[in-house]
Structures are given as structure tokens and as C-alpha cells.
Amino acid sequence: MKKNLYELIRKLNAKIILECAILFNFLLIFFLTLSLNNVKPFNYVNIGLYLLQIILIIFWCLKYDSIKLNFYIFVVFLLNGVIFLSGLFNNGMPLIYSTMIFLPVASYFFSLFLYKPKNRERVFLTLLIAFIGFLIVFTIFYFREIISLEEARIGTFFGDQNLLGYIFAYGLLALLDFSLRKKYYLLIIPALYSLFLIFLTGSRSALIICFLCILIYIYLLFRKKNNWVVISSILVSVFLLVLALSLPYFESFRNRIIGSLSQIFLGSGGDDSTILRLQYVYDGIEFSIRRISFGYGSIDASLIVSRSGQSMHNNFLDMALNYGIIFVFIFEAFLIYLWYGIRKSKDGYNKIFTTLLVAIFLVQFFFPNYWTKPEYLFYPFIVSIISSGGPFFEITLLKGRFSFEYFNKGSQHRQEIIRLEI
């Protein structure tokens, strides 16, 4: 009896240690991806952490759970197959895009650990801790600029300001969701600070997307409970946005927004950035039509610039120029499938991830985001939720033998395909 109890405690401790190692590695991955991803050599450190996480999760699956092959892995193969053919047809040699291979594969293995709701809760909290850590580091680095408010746009050390704006918007939404679901209302403070930092990055698109997605999330959360909350939130949000833009500190930001709107609707306004981006859209459509099937076989569509010299700011054109319309259809169908599946689920995270998918879709109009890491941090959560009921192939290691099974909860069908003994 004592021996069996000792073995149980020993095995339990080993599992706890392994899961703590996985969670701590997630913390490092999230922190580096959000804060130092574009700063060498931290981006290479991040790749090493991805590989370590894959190894830890495979070991955890084989020891304490199972490996599940779902639709996500096939999407990875399809997208990389199109990239391969695009390079072959255009450049005479296959194109291997390491980010598009490695990042979705790592994201897929992350989803294996997230099949269990308890692990989703742990990892989501880990993501929030990493984001708050990022806010602290960002504040320390730009403390003088934040206090003085002398610079119109800050954040270049950590990468593109638009990408930073989107990261702050994603983090704000995640903090808002956790604070309302768990009633940890103190998290509203870092959420509001994230909104303030969006203003400081000067990203107009991030600000628009952030406010729009806040309203979408509030609508999803309260639509069956209290319509007055939704209406009041809309009015308060509009008032706060107008009030913030009227402050002298954000005069430059306000003028850039007014200039963009004037340029788009009146044809004048002196906003050269808007003119160049619109010119790129026209030229990008023209170039895409010339090689509509497999694009130009490039890994960087900024090599294809408009006649005005402006690089890409549009995800649809970026994908079409690089790999063609087939790639665009596969990627957009993947996003739509994720959105439909998570919206129909009854998981507690369905509202926040529905909102985040809307945000990711909207970002495509302003930024080439199919290859950036922040988006791929959310995909494993969504995949694990909508695939938990099947269909999937399940690989289990039990007593030295691999068992391959097909499982589909919807049809209550579970069938052993093959059993191999090693």
C-alpha cells in the first residue's frame, strides 16, 4: 500500500514539474514574442524556446495524454505547398519559407497542450502575465517619452509602431475579457494603459480596430443580458475617443487622422502616407493580376513596391503578390473556419477569441500579418477548442505500444485504426 502511494506521489510530482516547465517556457515565449521579437539576438532565442516547447509538449502528450492530428496540421501543409510551388514556377527552384513552416508547426504543438480546459486557463493567464511584463519593460525603456509626451510616435526599438499598436490592442482585449469573466477588475488599469500606449505609438489603424473590437466584445458579452450596457458602452467609448483626441498631447495624432480622412474622401489633405498606400493598392492589384495563380515566388513583397515607392501595407496584396490567389483563399478560408467554429462553441473563451479573430481579419487591411508571431499565439487556443470534440486521429503510447485511433465526438464514433508494438 505504501509503495503504491509512493509511486503515485512520484508520478504526480513528475507531471507537475513537467507542466510547470511547459508553463514557464510559455511565459518566456510570450514575453519575447511580444516584447523583444525584433531585437537580435532575442529572436533566435525565441526560436530555441519554440523547439524546447515542442519537445516538452510531445513528451507530455506521450507520457500523460495523447497526440491529436487535427485539421490545423493539414492547413500548414497546404500553405507551405503553395509557397513551394510558387518558388518553383517563378524562380525555377522550390521556396522554403522557414517562418511559415516553423511558426504554424510550433503553434500546432501548442494546441495539443491546450486541449484540456484547465491548461487553457493556465496558459491564458501566462499570456496575460507576459503581456503585463511587456508593458513594464516598454514603460521603463520609454519612460521619459511617456512622461513628457514630446514625441509623436514611440516604440521603434521594439519594432514597427503599427505592429506594436496591434499588440497593445490584443493585450487590452485579453485583459478586458479576463477581468470581466473572473471579476478581477484591477486588470482594467493595465488595459486602459494599453489604450494610452496605442495613442503614443501613433497607429491609426490599431486605434480604430481596438475601439471597434471593444464594442464587439461588449456586445457579445451582454447581448443576452442587458442591451443598455451595450448602448451605454458605445456612447461612452465614442465620447472617450473624441475627448482623448481633443487633448493637446495628441494633436499630431489627431491631425494625421483628419488628414487621412480628408485625403480619402475629399482628395486633398496633405497626407502623403495615405496617398502612397492607396497608390500601392492600385499597383498591387495590377501586379497580382499578372501572376494571379502563384504570385512572384518571393518571401518579401516589400520588394514589389508601387510606382510611388511605397511598400506594402495590406495583407491580402502581400499574400497575393508573394504566393498568388490560391494562397489567399486557403488562408482566408482558414480564418473563416476558425471564426465560425469558435463562435458556435460553448467554451468560456468563445467571445474573446471571436473578437480577436475579427481584429486579426481587420488588421489585414493595414498590415501584412499572416507571418507575424502575435497572431499565431492565439491560433492554438482556438484550434484546441473547436477540435476537442473531433474529428482527429489520436496517437497514444501505453505500455510500450503506440495506438492509432480515429475519434469523432459528433457521431459518437471511436475506432481503433491500427496498433503497433515497439
Side-chain angles (χ1 to χ4, degrees):
M1 181 66 180
K2 289 183 178 181
K3 184 178 179 180
N4 292 336
L5 182 60
Y6 171 77
E7 288 294 326
L8 178 63
I9 294 174
R10 186 179 62 84
K11 291 180 180 179
L12 181 62
N13 287 338
K15 183 180 180 183
I16 291 175
I17 292 172
L18 178 59
E19 290 182 350
C20 286
I22 291 174
L23 289 173
F24 182 73
N25 206 49
F26 266 125
L27 178 63
L28 294 177
I29 286 173
F30 291 152
F31 177 76
L32 292 177
T33 294
L34 295 174
S35 60
L36 301 174
N37 183 57
N38 294 316
V39 183
K40 295 181 180 180
F42 293 105
N43 50 346
Y44 300 112
V45 174
N46 211 8
I47 292 174
L49 292 175
Y50 272 57
L51 289 172
L52 176 60
Q53 191 75 306
I54 290 174
I55 294 171
L56 290 175
I57 291 176
I58 290 176
F59 183 78
W60 179 85
C61 288
L62 293 177
K63 185 70 175 178
Y64 302 108
D65 199 78
S66 62
I67 295 177
K68 301 174 178 64
L69 300 179
N70 54 45
F71 69 90
Y72 194 16
I73 196 69
F74 298 108
V75 173
V76 174
F77 288 143
L78 283 173
L79 290 174
N80 280 283
V82 175
I83 293 174
F84 181 93
L85 293 175
S86 178
L88 188 64
F89 292 155
N90 288 287
N91 306 324
M93 59 184 298
L95 178 64
I96 300 177
Y97 188 3
S98 58
T99 301
M100 279 302 296
I101 294 174
F102 187 74
L103 193 55
V105 169
S107 185
Y108 164 75
F109 279 101
F110 292 175
S111 72
L112 299 182
F113 186 72
L114 297 169
Y115 265 88
K116 294 184 178 298
K118 180 178 67 174
N119 289 341
R120 284 200 290 271
E121 194 73 20
R122 292 172 174 177
V123 175
F124 192 79
L125 180 60
T126 301
L127 174 59
L128 294 184
I129 295 172
F131 178 69
I132 292 174
F134 170 45
L135 292 181
I136 295 172
V137 171
F138 188 89
T139 302
I140 294 173
F141 195 87
Y142 282 102
F143 182 78
R144 186 185 65 81
E145 291 84 353
I146 292 173
I147 295 298
S148 64
L149 296 175
E150 293 176 352
E151 292 191 24
R153 304 190 70 180
I154 66 174
T156 52
F157 176 81
F158 294 95
D160 183 272
Q161 287 115 327
N162 289 324
L163 177 58
L164 280 173
Y166 303 137
I167 290 175
F168 289 136
Y170 298 150
L172 186 156
L173 292 169
L175 287 168
L176 181 65
D177 171 73
F178 197 82
S179 64
L180 294 179
R181 281 192 304 108
K182 299 296 183 178
K183 295 182 172 57
Y184 294 157
Y185 297 119
L186 283 177
L187 291 178
I188 297 294
I189 297 175
L192 291 174
Y193 181 61
S194 302
L195 180 60
F196 172 70
L197 291 179
I198 293 176
F199 280 94
L200 295 188
T201 62
S203 177
R204 294 164 289 185
S205 56
L207 181 65
I208 295 170
I209 289 170
C210 182
F211 268 92
L212 180 60
C213 287
I214 287 174
L215 298 179
I216 290 173
Y217 174 76
I218 292 174
Y219 169 74
L220 293 174
L221 188 64
F222 294 105
R223 61 179 174 175
K224 295 181 180 179
K225 298 178 181 179
N226 194 335
N227 289 330
W228 284 108
V229 174
V230 178
I231 297 173
S232 301
S233 299
I234 294 174
L235 295 176
V236 171
S237 298
V238 173
F239 172 76
L240 291 176
L241 179 60
V242 173
L243 179 63
L245 291 175
S246 65
L247 296 174
Y249 300 118
F250 302 120
E251 180 181 1
S252 175
F253 195 11
R254 179 177 67 248
N255 292 338
R256 291 177 64 230
I257 293 176
I258 294 174
S260 297
L261 295 175
S262 176
Q263 190 66 53
I264 293 173
F265 294 106
L266 301 179
S268 62
D271 188 347
D272 294 335
S273 176
T274 300
I275 296 174
L276 294 175
R277 292 188 189 192
L278 290 176
Q279 183 63 52
Y280 179 81
V281 171
Y282 300 143
D283 293 346
I285 293 173
E286 177 186 335
F287 292 140
S288 298
I289 291 175
R290 292 179 184 177
R291 296 187 182 178
I292 195 169
S293 297
F294 291 98
Y296 288 82
S298 173
I299 63 170
D300 187 0
S302 62
L303 297 174
I304 306 171
V305 297
S306 73
R307 294 179 178 89
S308 301
Q310 177 72 3
S311 63
M312 79 292 193
H313 283 83
N314 185 292
N315 195 44
F316 302 101
L317 291 177
D318 188 89
M319 291 187 292
L321 287 170
N322 277 333
Y323 315 118
I325 198 67
I326 297 175
F327 187 98
V328 177
F329 282 153
I330 295 174
F331 185 82
E332 297 306 323
F334 169 65
L335 282 185
I336 293 172
Y337 178 80
L338 290 182
W339 175 82
Y340 181 80
I342 196 69
R343 191 176 67 88
K344 291 294 185 181
S345 74
K346 297 181 180 179
D347 188 87
Y349 288 105
N350 62 342
K351 296 178 180 62
I352 180 58
F353 283 115
T354 297
T355 307
L356 287 170
L357 278 175
V358 172
I360 291 171
F361 180 82
L362 293 176
V363 167
Q364 293 185 103
F365 292 94
F366 309 101
F367 195 79
N369 67 329
Y370 70 94
W371 50 265
T372 52
K373 292 181 175 63
E375 287 80 11
Y376 278 93
L377 295 180
F378 298 123
Y379 292 161
F381 286 94
I382 304 169
V383 169
S384 65
I385 292 170
I386 65 179
S387 300
S388 58
F392 55 76
F393 284 95
E394 187 174 65
I395 304 173
T396 307
L397 177 63
L398 184 63
K399 295 181 180 180
R401 296 192 299 178
F402 280 109
S403 174
F404 293 74
E405 297 177 297
Y406 173 76
F407 178 57
N408 188 347
K409 185 177 180 181
S411 61
Q412 297 298 318
H413 176 65
R414 186 183 186 97
Q415 180 181 350
E416 181 180 295
I417 304 299
I418 187 172
R419 183 179 294 273
L420 298 176
E421 184 175 343
I422 61 173

